[in-house]
C-alpha cells in the first residue's frame, strides 16, 4: 500500500476555545482575546498544536458570535484587532497555530450586505441572500429552522421572505451568486495574509440549496425537515473546489468543515486525499442526540448513548475513510454536552477514571483529535432548574415551541433534555481555580459558573499528578512521538461487546492494542492476554489478567 502522505495537521492535536467563556482579562465578566493570550503557557504545557477559535468577529451575539456583522473586525467585548494580532504572534511564539471559525453559510441580519439587501428588490445586494415570494400568502415551504420555527422570515418592506436555516438574525447567503463567493474568498485571503493557520468552516455542507425548495418530511408534527435539501447540495463540492483554488491552496493552512448531514461517501469527497477541497470534516453521527439514543422530541433526548451505537459509528468511519480521506475525532464542542457527562460518568466517584477512559478511546483512533476547553480537566455538565437560567438560543426557542406554544412536552422533561445534551453545558465559564467565579473573572461572569469549580479547576489539576490534565498531556505527547497513533491502520475488536471498546492499530511491523471498559463494573476481557509489549498509557497502575476494572483503559504497543 502506498505510504500515506505526512502533513502537520494529521499529526496535530487541536484545542477549541469558546472565547466568551475562556478567560476574562479586564473584569467585565466576558472572556476576551487578552485572556487567551495570558493562558497560552497553560496550553503549551498541555502540548496542543493548534487553537480553533470560535468566532471573534463583530457580532450582535444573537447566537454568540455565529452571527457575524463584520468579518474584518473584532467583537467589541473581545478586544481590538491589535489584541488579535498580539495573540496570534504570541501563540506562534508558543508553537501554537490559530485556526479561525469561518461562518459563511449566513451572516448577521446586521451585516452591511443584509442591511442593503432588504432595502429593495433592485438593490445591488438583493441577490446576496435568498429571497422568495410568498406561496398562497404563506411561507415558500414548510422548512423548520435548526433553531425552531419556520426557516423563512417575512420582510414587510418588499413583501418577500428570506431564508434563515438558523435564527432569523442569521439570513443565509446566496452562494449561487458569484459576487458572494468573490467577497467570501477575498475576506479569507485577507485573514490568511495576516498569518492565521486555517479555518474551521461552520455548516459548510449547507451552502448549496436544492433549487426546487421542496417541502420537507414533517417529523415532529409542526414543520418539515430542511436537511435533505440544504445539506450536501448540488454545487457544494464545486464551491469548495473553487475556494480551494482561489484561497486554500495558496497557504500552508489546515481546514476542517463542519458538515451537518454528511455521510461517509460525502466525506470522502470533502476530505479527499488529493486535498482538492478540505483537509477533514466533522460528522455528527455519534453526537446527534436523537440518532444516538431514543429521541424524546426532535433532536432532544435525555437517554444515555449506548456503547454499541457509538462504537458502531466511530468504527465504521475509521474503517471506511482508511486511505481515502482524513478524519477528525471529537467527543464534545460548544454545541454538545461535556464528554465525561455524556460518554463517561460524572459522579465524583468515577469522574476522573471515566474521563481518562473516554479520552483514550478517542485519542488512540486515526484522525485529528479535538479537545474542547475544560475537557482536559474533566469539566462536567451543568444543571439548569429553569429555562430562565439558559442562555442558548437553540434551547430557548425549542422550549418556546415544544413547551409553551404546542404543549408537546412538559417543562420538566424539556429541562431534563437540556441538562443531558443542551449546548449551555459546554458554555459555562472555564474553571481556573477555587477562588470566586472559578478565577474566570474578577467581575460578574456573563454566564453561571458550574458550582463544582472548587473541586474541578486547572489549578487543582496541575497540582495533582493523577489528574485528567496530565493524562491528556500524555495522550498528546504520545501522538507526537508514536507514528502508529497517527498513521496506523485501524482494526475493530470485540464488536459485539456491551462493555468493552477495543481495537488495534497496525503500522509496519507494530501493533497497538487498545482496550477500554465503558462500564462501572469489572468485566471479563481477553484481548490483552499474553501480549508482551510496552504499556503506553493506562488509568490504572495495577492490572488483573483477563479482566478490566471499572472504566479501565489500557494501551499496549507490541
Ligand atoms: O452548528 C451547526 C449545527 O448543525 C448544530 O450542531 C447546531 O449547533 C445545533 O445543535 C443544531 O441542532 C454551527 C455552530 O457550531 C453553532 O454554534 C451555530 O449555532 C450554528 O452553526 C449556526 O451558525
Ligand atoms: Ca473581558
Amino acid at each position: 500500500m502506498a505510504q500515506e502522505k505526512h502533513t502537520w495537521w494529521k499529526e496535530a492535536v487541536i484545542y477549541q476555545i469558546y472565547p466568551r467563556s475562556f478567560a476574562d482579562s479586564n473584569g467585565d465578566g466576558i472572556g476576551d482575546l487578552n485572556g487567551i493570550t495570558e493562558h497560552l503557557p497553560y496550553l503549551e504545557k498541555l502540548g496542543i498544536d493548534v487553537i480553533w477559535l470560535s468566532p471573534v468577529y463583530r457580532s450582535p451575539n444573537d447566537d454568540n458570535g455565529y452571527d457575524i456583522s463584520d468579518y474584518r473586525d473584532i467583537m467589541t467585548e473581545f478586544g481590538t484587532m491589535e489584541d488579535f494580532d498580539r495573540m496570534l504572534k504570541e501563540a506562534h511564539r508558543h508553537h501554537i497555530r490559530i485556526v479561525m471559525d469561518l461562518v459563511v453559510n449566513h451572516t448577521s441580519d446586521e451585516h452591511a450586505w443584509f442591511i442593503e439587501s432588504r432595502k429593495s428588490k433592485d438593490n445591488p445586494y438583493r441577490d446576496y441572500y435568498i429571497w422568495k415570494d410568498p406561496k398562497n400568502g404563506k411561507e415558500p415551504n414548510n422548512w423548520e429552522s435548526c433553531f425552531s420555527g419556520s426557516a423563512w422570515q417575512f420582510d414587510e418592506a418588499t413583501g418577500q421572505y428570506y431564508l434563515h436555516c438558523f435564527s432569523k438574525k442569521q439570513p443565509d447567503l446566496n452562494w449561487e451568486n458569484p459576487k458572494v463567493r468573490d467577497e467570501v474568498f477575498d475576506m479569507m485571503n485577507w485573514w490568511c495574509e495576516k498569518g492565521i493557520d486555517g479555518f474551521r468552516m461552520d455548516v459548510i455542507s449547507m451552502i448549496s440549496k436544492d433549487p426546487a425548495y421542496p417541502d420537507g418530511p414533517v417529523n415532529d408534527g409542526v414543520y418539515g425537515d430542511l436537511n435533505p435539501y440544504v445539506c450536501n447540495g448540488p454545487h457544494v463540492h464545486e464551491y469548495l473546489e473553487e475556494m480551494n483554488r482561489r484561497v486554500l491552496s495558496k497557504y500552508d493552512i489546515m481546514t476542517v468543515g463542519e458538515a451537518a448531514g454528511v455521510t461517509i461517501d460525502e466525506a470522502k469527497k470533502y476530505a479527499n486525499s488529493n486535498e482538492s477541497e478540505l483537509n477533514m470534516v466533522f460528522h455528527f453521527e455519534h453526537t446527534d442526540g436523537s440518532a444516538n439514543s431514543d429521541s424524546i422530541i426532535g433532536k432532544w433526548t435525555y437517554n444515555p448513548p449506548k456503547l454499541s451505537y457509538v462504537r458502531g459509528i466511530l468504527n465504521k468511519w475509521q474503517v471506511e475513510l482508511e486511505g481515502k480521506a482524513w478524519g477528525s475525532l471529537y467527543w464534545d464542542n460548544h454545541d454538545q454536552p461535556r464528554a465525561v457527562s455524556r460518554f463517561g460518568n460524572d459522579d465524583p466517584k468515577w469522574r476522573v477514571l471515566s474521563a481518562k477512559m473516554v479520552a483514550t478511546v478517542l485519542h488512540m483512533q486515526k484522525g485529528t483529535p479535538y479537545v474542547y476547553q475544560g475537557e482536559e480537566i474533566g469539566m462536567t455538565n451543568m444543571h439548569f432548574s429553569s429555562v430562565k437560567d439558559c442562555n442558548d438560543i437553540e434551547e430557548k426557542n425549542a422550549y418556546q415551541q415544544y413547551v409553551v406554544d404546542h404543549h408537546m412536552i412538559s417543562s420538566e422533561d424539556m429541562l431534563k433534555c437540556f441538562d443531558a445534551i443542551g449546548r449551555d453545558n459546554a458554555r459555562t465559564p472555564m474553571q481556573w481555580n477555587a477562588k470566586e467565579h472559578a478565577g474566570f473573572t474578577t467581575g460578574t461572569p456573563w454566564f453561571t459558573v458550574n458550582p463544582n469549580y472548587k473541586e474541578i479547576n486547572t489549578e487543582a489539576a496541575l497540582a495533582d499528578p493523577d489528574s485528567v490534565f496530565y493524562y491528556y498531556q500524555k495522550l498528546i505527547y504520545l501522538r507526537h512521538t508514536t507514528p502508529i497513533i497517527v498513521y496506523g491502520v485501524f482494526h475493530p475488536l470485540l464488536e459485539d461487546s456491551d462493555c468493552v471498546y477495543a481495537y488495534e492499530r497496525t503500522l509496519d511491523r507494530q501493533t497497538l492494542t487498545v482496550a477500554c471498559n465503558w462500564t462501572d463494573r469489572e468485566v471479563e476481557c481477553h484481548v490483552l492476554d499474553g501480549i508482551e509489549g510496552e504499556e503506553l498509557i493506562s488509568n490504572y497502575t495495577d492490572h488483573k489478567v483477563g479482566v478490566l476494572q471499572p472504566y479501565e483503559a489500557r494501551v499496549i504497543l507490541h
Side-chain angles (χ1 to χ4, degrees):
M1 197 164 74
Q3 168 94 47
E4 194 150 12
K5 189 176 153 203
H6 291 200
T7 64
W8 64 263
W9 44 265
K10 290 181 181 168
E11 298 167 11
V13 178
I14 323 283
Y15 187 89
Q16 185 193 350
I17 289 184
Y18 195 66
R20 177 163 293 267
S21 299
F22 189 64
D24 174 24
S25 71
N26 63 352
D28 67 354
I30 299 175
D32 46 51
L33 297 179
N34 290 339
I36 297 172
T37 308
E38 282 170 20
H39 287 91
L40 290 169
Y42 167 79
L43 298 176
E44 190 177 24
K45 178 162 186 160
L46 180 60
I48 54 100
D49 306 275
V50 179
I51 292 170
W52 148 25
L53 207 56
S54 275
V56 297
Y57 315 90
R58 184 163 296 252
S59 162
N61 282 307
D62 188 52
D63 185 21
N64 287 348
Y66 284 88
D67 48 322
I68 297 169
S69 53
D70 187 343
Y71 290 100
R72 301 186 197 216
D73 202 356
I74 298 293
M75 193 189 299
T76 327
E77 299 98 305
F78 289 177
T80 62
M81 194 56 87
E82 287 70 47
D83 295 334
F84 180 89
D85 293 339
R86 196 166 63 88
M87 179 192 70
L88 182 62
K89 207 169 128 212
E90 283 299 300
H92 288 164
R93 207 169 61 76
H94 287 278
H95 315 289
I96 293 172
R97 302 187 210 232
I98 302 272
V99 160
M100 302 291 284
D101 217 311
L102 182 79
V103 189
V104 289
N105 172 68
H106 44 268
T107 69
S108 163
D109 66 338
E110 297 181 35
H111 192 289
W113 302 335
F114 192 73
I115 294 174
E116 285 301 313
S117 185
R118 76 192 318 175
K119 280 184 181 163
S120 65
K121 285 187 179 172
D122 56 8
N123 189 285
Y125 288 89
R126 187 67 171 180
D127 287 341
Y128 273 46
Y129 295 87
I130 300 167
W131 292 96
K132 297 271 179 238
D133 285 326
K135 206 168 155 187
N136 309 321
K138 289 205 298 244
E139 288 81 8
N141 67 28
N142 70 356
W143 291 359
E144 175 170 24
S145 134
C146 298
F147 292 160
S148 307
S150 170
W152 298 96
Q153 177 69 21
F154 187 69
D155 204 49
E156 295 286 344
T158 53
Q160 284 191 315
Y161 286 88
Y162 66 84
L163 177 69
H164 60 90
C165 291
F166 294 89
S167 110
K168 59 174 188 282
K169 285 183 67 65
Q170 292 167 302
D172 279 54
L173 281 165
N174 175 18
W175 275 71
E176 285 186 25
N177 181 349
K179 282 195 223 137
V180 166
R181 304 203 296 277
D182 289 347
E183 297 260 21
V184 169
F185 300 155
D186 279 356
M187 177 271 286
M188 292 174 73
N189 277 314
W190 184 82
W191 280 100
C192 289
E193 292 299 330
K194 246 184 188 303
I196 61 133
D197 304 288
F199 297 105
R200 172 270 185 189
M201 302 183 188
D202 195 63
V203 286
I204 202 68
S205 55
M206 291 169 64
I207 58 176
S208 169
K209 278 79 176 170
D210 181 334
Y213 289 85
D215 277 340
V218 178
N219 292 336
D220 56 22
V222 187
Y223 292 98
D225 186 2
L226 54 66
N227 285 289
Y229 315 104
V230 305
C231 296
N232 314 307
H235 302 292
V236 67
H237 297 290
E238 228 172 273
Y239 297 155
L240 289 177
E241 278 181 7
E242 183 182 347
M243 179 195 283
N244 189 290
R245 245 187 351 264
R246 295 177 57 185
V247 185
L248 311 178
S249 58
K250 301 196 288 177
Y251 307 93
D252 179 25
I253 57 173
M254 63 157 274
T255 52
V256 50
E258 191 211 22
V262 72
T263 56
I264 292 183
D265 283 337
E266 283 295 327
K268 286 180 191 164
K269 299 184 203 158
Y270 288 117
N272 66 74
S273 311
N274 296 331
E275 295 175 36
S276 64
E277 296 185 29
L278 306 176
N279 295 145
M280 58 191 122
V281 294
F282 293 126
H283 71 80
F284 288 90
E285 276 195 59
H286 65 305
T287 51
D288 180 346
S290 52
N292 168 339
S293 20
D294 303 327
S295 156
I296 301 295
I297 192 161
K299 82 161 235 183
W300 299 98
T301 184
Y302 44 70
N303 296 315
K306 289 190 194 74
L307 170 62
S308 54
Y309 188 80
V310 174
R311 182 186 51 211
I313 288 169
L314 294 183
N315 288 1
K316 179 182 75 175
W317 280 81
Q318 288 285 306
V319 169
E320 294 198 26
L321 290 192
E322 176 59 44
K324 305 215 169 58
W326 193 253
S328 66
L329 306 168
Y330 75 98
W331 284 132
D332 56 5
N333 57 41
H334 67 294
D335 294 332
Q336 301 293 337
R338 292 282 175 182
V340 65
S341 300
R342 185 184 217 171
F343 298 105
N345 185 338
D346 63 12
D347 183 296
K349 183 171 176 208
W350 300 118
R351 186 183 64 87
V352 170
L353 269 177
S354 71
K356 292 174 181 175
M357 181 281 290
V358 160
T360 312
V361 167
L362 194 88
H363 281 252
M364 292 298 123
Q365 297 201 6
K366 187 163 188 169
T368 300
Y370 290 74
V371 178
Y372 179 68
Q373 70 184 40
E375 181 190 334
E376 79 282 12
I377 55 167
M379 276 178 64
T380 66
N381 277 359
M382 175 82 182
H383 169 64
F384 296 94
S385 47
S386 158
V387 71
K388 290 196 203 77
D389 300 329
C390 298
N391 168 267
D392 174 25
I393 183 168
E394 181 180 33
E395 292 172 22
K396 291 199 287 201
N397 289 0
Y399 190 93
Q400 182 67 35
Q401 175 165 317
Y402 292 137
V403 181
V404 181
D405 295 345
H406 295 282
H407 309 289
M408 292 166 82
I409 179 173
S410 71
S411 168
E412 200 186 17
D413 278 357
M414 193 77 250
L415 287 167
K416 253 174 91 178
C417 290
F418 295 167
D419 277 356
I421 63 164
R423 308 198 301 178
D424 277 338
N425 286 303
R427 300 177 179 188
T428 63
M430 180 72 183
Q431 294 162 208
W432 294 103
N433 58 42
K435 296 192 200 109
E436 204 186 8
H437 309 313
F440 164 71
T441 178
T442 54
T444 307
W446 75 275
F447 195 36
T448 336
V449 175
N450 194 312
N452 63 21
Y453 71 91
K454 292 212 167 109
E455 290 77 51
I456 307 172
N457 61 69
T458 61
E459 199 175 276
L462 289 168
D464 173 7
D466 284 332
S467 68
V468 179
F469 178 91
Y470 289 113
Y471 197 88
Y472 268 82
Q473 186 188 54
K474 188 162 178 193
L475 288 170
I476 295 166
Y477 169 80
L478 287 170
R479 180 163 290 260
H480 291 153
T481 51
T482 325
I484 192 171
I485 296 176
V486 179
Y487 295 108
V489 177
F490 178 94
H491 311 277
L493 296 172
L494 304 184
E495 284 182 282
D496 295 326
S497 170
D498 289 329
C499 313
V500 177
Y501 197 145
Y503 55 87
E504 277 177 357
R505 306 281 304 279
T506 53
L507 185 70
D508 303 326
R509 273 149 205 239
Q510 283 191 316
T511 301
L512 186 77
T513 306
V514 181
C516 296
N517 180 356
W518 195 261
T519 77
D520 62 2
R521 305 177 306 279
E522 183 166 295
V523 300
E524 203 178 321
C525 173
H526 297 287
V527 292
L528 300 173
D529 291 3
I531 291 184
E532 294 200 9
E534 182 194 351
E535 181 180 283
L536 293 189
I537 193 164
S538 176
N539 54 356
Y540 276 78
T541 43
D542 299 318
H543 307 291
K544 299 184 183 172
V545 179
V547 297
L548 289 170
Q549 300 162 86
Y551 296 114
E552 180 168 358
R554 278 186 89 187
V555 179
I556 311 234
L557 181 64
H558 52 110

